[in-house]
Amino acid sequence: MKKLLVLVLSVSLILSASCSNKGENQEKKNDNKEQVMKIDEKQAMSFIDNYLRYVLKGDYAALTGYYTEKLKTSIKEVKTQSNPRPVAFKIGEGDIEKDRAEFKVTMFHAYDGKPYYSVDFFKYVVIMDKDKLLIDSIDKENTIDIYEQDKTLFKRDKDSGRGEKIFTLRDLPTFVYSKETVREQKYEVPKKSFGPCATTEDGKSILVSSIGENSYLGYIKIVESKEAFKVAQGEEEKKKDGDGKAQGTEEESNKEEEKSKTNFTVKDIDFYFSSTITSVIFSPSGQSLVVEVKDKNGLSFLSLYKSSGEKMDLKLERRFPKDRFSLTKPYFVSENELVFSVVPSKNATDEEAKLKGDWVLDIQKGDTSQIK
């Protein structure tokens, strides 16, 4: 009997240990599942960065590979437009919740050859679907438009129907210096029409160009101030005495209110002879800018500047001489990386023809490399 009792107890202990191990193993599996499902912020941000680089490149066929099935079904296939085109982006910090992440993304669009530029604010939702990151939704939250009407630049934001007048051709300086010639000589600013424009993320710094026989580029800084002014009160608001007569002095019958007033300053960036500005773009944080200019022979070149107006010497002309190549369609993939297309001239040599294609410029180092 004792042997039987010992045998029963032994079997019970074995079964109990087995169940305990199974429970522990199941808990470990659940923990591993939680680890797999949780989104890493850096990984998700890199995922969005790669996606947006395809957007700027215009490789729309590659974009659907980043979408969930739900998002794919909501997107119709339509013919893409060359203008306005995306020219820069900026990714904000993410809000991570296990298998879901939200990112604020700012997109910048430019219209080549025309005075139009927009800053668009989006919310991207990224989820983990079968251990794979995918974009589940893309929603626009706000926009800032800079556009021209009747030789006047307007700014429209917060999706409002009305634009705010900010600048006219008459507001441009009459004469300016050029960084290409003798510094003491001034030249007349063309005021035939506005050329391309651009703005920073906050809409308070604006690049403005004007074109004619020559081209001018300037930097506008918008400053808003509050002004106090007095508004006369209505008779019904005045105090009356026992006989029904109005009391108080004229000063007492007025009240002060504040009204916003918009002012601006204009700083000259550069002046281009016998050339037409075809594109101007701010870097994502507005610390630098690039200008595409077409000369009288139809070849295009790029000039880069700091936001202070200082021209950067990045030796692009040594790598791609102005009379042998066109540098076109620039866009920023980061604050310090500029992508552009190289087009050799019609009479290019075999060696020059090999340089055709997309290139990236490291603004900090001044290095260029061809994108394969």
Side-chain angles (χ1 to χ4, degrees), residues 37-211:
M37 294 298 290
K38 188 175 181 181
I39 292 178
D40 178 77
E41 183 174 357
K42 289 184 178 179
Q43 182 183 3
M45 187 173 289
S46 176
F47 172 77
I48 292 293
D49 183 271
N50 289 333
Y51 168 82
L52 293 172
R53 287 173 184 248
Y54 279 116
V55 172
L56 267 61
K57 186 179 179 181
D59 188 355
Y60 296 107
L63 301 185
T64 55
Y66 286 78
Y67 300 154
T68 60
E69 290 300 323
K70 183 190 80 172
L71 184 56
K72 285 180 184 178
T73 57
S74 68
I75 296 177
K76 296 180 180 179
E77 289 188 13
V78 296
K79 185 179 179 180
T80 57
Q81 298 183 144
S82 57
N83 276 302
R85 63 185 179 92
V87 292
F89 66 85
K90 186 177 180 181
I91 305 174
E93 293 184 2
D95 183 9
I96 311 297
E97 294 182 6
K98 291 186 178 179
D99 62 341
R100 186 177 187 276
E102 289 186 6
F103 288 94
K104 300 292 185 180
V105 174
T106 306
M107 292 291 299
F108 303 83
H109 288 78
Y111 202 116
D112 294 331
K114 291 186 178 181
Y116 176 81
Y117 201 88
S118 73
V119 184
D120 301 291
F121 304 90
F122 291 89
K123 180 178 75 174
Y124 281 67
V125 174
V126 177
I127 66 171
M128 187 71 76
D129 186 5
K130 297 178 182 178
D131 296 336
K132 183 180 180 181
L133 288 172
L134 292 173
I135 300 172
D136 194 48
S137 65
I138 304 172
D139 297 305
K140 193 184 82 165
E141 297 186 321
N142 199 1
T143 188
I144 298 174
D145 286 326
I146 305 294
Y147 61 97
E148 183 266 346
Q149 185 175 334
D150 298 328
K151 297 186 177 182
T152 300
L153 282 184
F154 290 84
K155 182 176 79 168
R156 179 171 53 224
D157 58 8
K158 297 181 179 178
D159 290 330
S160 60
R162 297 180 60 185
E164 174 190 0
K165 175 182 173 182
I166 54 175
F167 200 78
T168 71
L169 281 171
R170 293 192 302 271
D171 295 321
L172 291 172
T174 305
F175 298 96
V176 296
Y177 298 103
S178 170
K179 293 178 181 178
E180 296 182 3
T181 63
V182 177
R183 300 299 183 265
E184 293 79 10
Q185 178 64 54
K186 279 193 167 185
Y187 303 91
E188 186 174 4
V189 172
K191 297 187 180 182
K192 180 181 177 181
S193 63
F194 278 115
C197 59
T199 186
T200 50
E201 186 177 17
D202 60 6
K204 294 183 179 180
S205 297
I206 298 173
L207 290 174
V208 59
S209 67
S210 64
I211 56 178

Side-chain angles (χ1 to χ4, degrees), residues 8 24 63 91 96 117 154 181 208 217 223 226 291 299 310:
V8 170
E24 289 176 1
L63 301 185
I91 305 174
I96 311 297
Y117 201 88
F154 290 84
T181 63
V208 59
L217 180 67
V223 181
K226 297 287 186 179
V291 186
L299 295 177
E310 178 186 349

Side-chain angles (χ1 to χ4, degrees), residues 313-364:
D313 181 16
L314 297 173
K315 302 179 177 60
L316 276 178
E317 294 177 20
R318 298 182 189 177
R319 188 72 176 88
F320 308 103
K322 286 183 179 180
D323 60 340
R324 305 300 300 167
F325 298 91
S326 273
L327 308 185
T328 65
K329 302 294 182 183
Y331 60 86
F332 286 94
V333 291
S334 73
E335 186 64 27
N336 295 303
E337 292 177 289
L338 179 75
V339 175
F340 57 93
S341 295
V342 174
V343 182
S345 61
K346 293 181 180 179
N347 59 343
T349 65
D350 292 340
E351 287 301 314
E352 290 172 339
K354 292 179 182 179
L355 303 182
K356 181 179 180 180
D358 293 337
W359 289 68
V360 61
L361 167 69
D362 185 317
I363 295 177
Q364 286 186 326

Side-chain angles (χ1 to χ4, degrees), residues 233-240 246-247 253:
Q233 295 180 359
E235 288 295 324
E236 69 278 5
E237 295 180 359
K238 294 180 181 179
K239 293 181 180 180
K240 295 184 178 181
Q247 294 182 356
S253 67

